[in-house]
Amino acid sequence: MSKLILSLDGGGIRGAATTQFLTHVEKALQSTHQKSLRDCVDFYAGTSTGSLIALALATTNMDMQDINKLYSYSNAKKIFVENRGLFELDGLNAPKYEAKGKTATLKKYLGDARIKDVPAGKHVLAITYGIENRRPYVIKSTEGIFQNLLSYQVADASSAAPTYFPTRDMPLLPGNEQAWLIDGGVIANNPTMCAIAEVCRLWPDDKRRVLTVGTGTSTRKINGPDSRNWGALQWMLKGCIIDVLSDEKVVAYQAITISPQGSYIRVNAEMRCQPGFDQAPDDAMDDISQTNIKRLKGMGDFWFSQYGDAVVALLNDSYDGPSLDRIDPQTGHPLVYQAG
């Protein structure tokens, strides 16, 4: 047998590209194979905004069209509510955004779903990081201690990006000790290797297929010579340190290298104009303007034009092509992985 991993990166509002792409994929699956995305996936994995999508698919009955609607301008305004307290300066001495809007929106859509609600024979994981004991938490349905955690609370913790949103607290077993958690993107913005490790442990004798979807790659230049003189404040303001910490390329390289040829597709692209895509979105995780959300969804459309047939075949376990990597910005087509 062959097990299918669906792994989804973090990236804030840039998750709009992910949901747009997956909505196209589900429509194509239904049209050509009379299957839903859920019918094809055995293991879901997500970090930050990717954890919201993964948990919605794994633990609720929302279809991809409904999940895609989560990434709308009206919802984004409710989530990214600026922190306007006295003397609070745009993420410098307090989080840039309040927590309550994000929490309320996640609760509205994920409701009372819990980690244990993943269907029999399937599993899900979401990544967050505990700051007090300096350790990652891979919250997963394969461990009994996480079964009763509410999906919206897990997604809330996994998306608590430092400087953007407040740290989230959650009682975790054993002992129901209070853990203070932040965005899993600081350690694994691309959760693919965590998912592969779990699948190897769960189903050691089964082949695996991997569909991993990014949220676009930042291209804005960081000034190298100037960086020699930067302290903490400059690294945050000029060095985009959160983006640097959450870069997904190393994990993408590891995952494609250890995956058998033809069993892996990485959907992603640089966030700049390229052949077939002439309206690039802003790479900020919090640019929630109507224009930018439209452009993010346009990126999802572009991805489907380039990966759609291959991804649908991979999900249907009928793909016979090579492993595919991110889109080459020079050609506008996915890079074909050549082992060795």
Side-chain angles (χ1 to χ4, degrees):
M1 294 183 62
S2 178
K3 301 296 185 182
L4 191 285
I5 294 169
L6 175 61
S7 175
L8 306 172
D9 285 19
I13 193 60
R14 286 158 42 182
T18 306
T19 58
Q20 182 79 356
F21 171 73
L22 292 177
T23 298
H24 285 305
V25 168
E26 180 150 272
K27 287 179 181 177
L29 276 169
Q30 291 168 337
S31 174
T32 58
H33 302 293
Q34 294 73 56
K35 294 179 180 178
S36 70
L37 190 59
R38 284 188 178 91
D39 292 333
C40 303
V41 178
D42 298 288
F43 199 103
Y44 303 88
T47 298
S48 194
T49 200
S51 75
L52 165 58
I53 303 165
L55 288 163
L57 282 167
T59 66
T60 79
N61 293 321
M62 295 173 67
D63 63 23
M64 271 313 309
Q65 286 186 312
D66 289 333
I67 297 170
N68 196 22
K69 291 174 185 175
L70 270 167
Y71 290 82
S72 66
Y73 175 65
S74 59
N75 278 328
K77 285 197 302 180
K78 297 172 186 174
I79 291 171
F80 292 91
V81 178
E82 290 192 11
N83 203 348
R84 296 190 179 278
L86 193 62
F87 306 122
E88 292 178 357
L89 303 174
D90 197 25
L92 295 182
N93 64 343
K96 187 175 181 180
Y97 301 107
E98 297 178 354
K100 58 185 179 183
K102 178 164 72 83
T103 302
T105 303
L106 292 173
K107 185 175 183 179
K108 175 183 175 181
Y109 284 94
L110 297 180
D112 295 327
R114 297 178 184 270
I115 298 298
K116 66 181 179 183
D117 292 331
V118 65
K122 298 177 184 285
H123 289 286
V124 64
L125 68 77
I127 299 172
T128 184
Y129 186 80
I131 58 171
E132 287 194 314
N133 51 10
R134 302 194 182 199
R135 56 157 288 186
Y137 283 95
V138 181
I139 295 175
K140 51 194 177 182
S141 58
T142 55
E143 283 198 25
I145 60 172
F146 299 126
Q147 292 288 317
N148 284 315
L149 292 179
L150 288 160
S151 295
Y152 87 85
Q153 291 180 330
V154 175
D156 203 9
S158 183
S159 59
T163 76
Y164 290 93
F165 290 105
T167 307
R168 303 304 300 172
D169 64 310
M170 183 185 298
L172 293 175
L173 292 171
N176 273 338
E177 291 186 0
Q178 188 179 44
W180 291 92
L181 306 171
I182 60 172
D183 195 310
V186 299
I187 49 162
N189 201 52
N190 177 348
T192 306
M193 287 301 294
C194 293
I196 289 175
E198 282 296 310
V199 167
C200 287
R201 182 179 66 82
L202 282 171
W203 301 299
D205 299 324
D206 293 332
K207 295 180 180 179
R208 66 176 183 271
R209 292 163 288 139
V210 179
L211 172 59
T212 165
V213 187
T215 59
T217 301
S218 297
T219 59
R220 67 179 73 185
K221 184 178 179 181
I222 298 174
N223 192 311
D226 281 0
S227 70
R228 291 175 299 180
N229 302 312
W230 288 351
L233 183 62
Q234 289 89 350
W235 269 107
M236 189 176 75
L237 294 177
K238 299 179 181 180
C240 306
I241 190 64
I242 298 299
D243 289 340
V244 172
L245 290 173
S246 61
D247 191 281
E248 41 71 37
K249 295 185 189 72
V250 170
V251 169
Y253 164 76
Q254 293 168 331
I256 201 169
T257 302
I258 68 170
S259 295
Q261 183 63 262
S263 68
Y264 175 101
I265 296 177
R266 171 67 171 170
V267 177
N268 210 14
E270 292 186 2
M271 302 180 78
R272 59 167 163 157
C273 295
Q274 50 204 284
F277 184 51
D278 59 4
Q279 290 192 320
D282 184 4
D283 62 6
M285 64 164 279
D286 61 342
D287 184 342
I288 63 167
S289 65
Q290 289 177 298
T291 296
N292 197 54
I293 292 173
K294 182 179 179 180
R295 290 186 175 188
L296 286 165
K297 298 212 172 186
M299 188 164 70
D301 297 337
F302 172 56
W303 289 350
F304 186 74
S305 73
Q306 296 302 313
Y307 294 99
D309 290 345
V311 165
V312 169
L314 183 75
L315 288 165
N316 191 51
D317 203 6
S318 56
Y319 181 62
D320 61 1
S323 292
L324 300 177
D325 206 344
R326 67 192 182 278
I327 288 175
D328 180 350
Q330 302 305 313
T331 66
H333 300 302
L335 292 166
V336 174
Y337 177 69
Q338 301 291 342

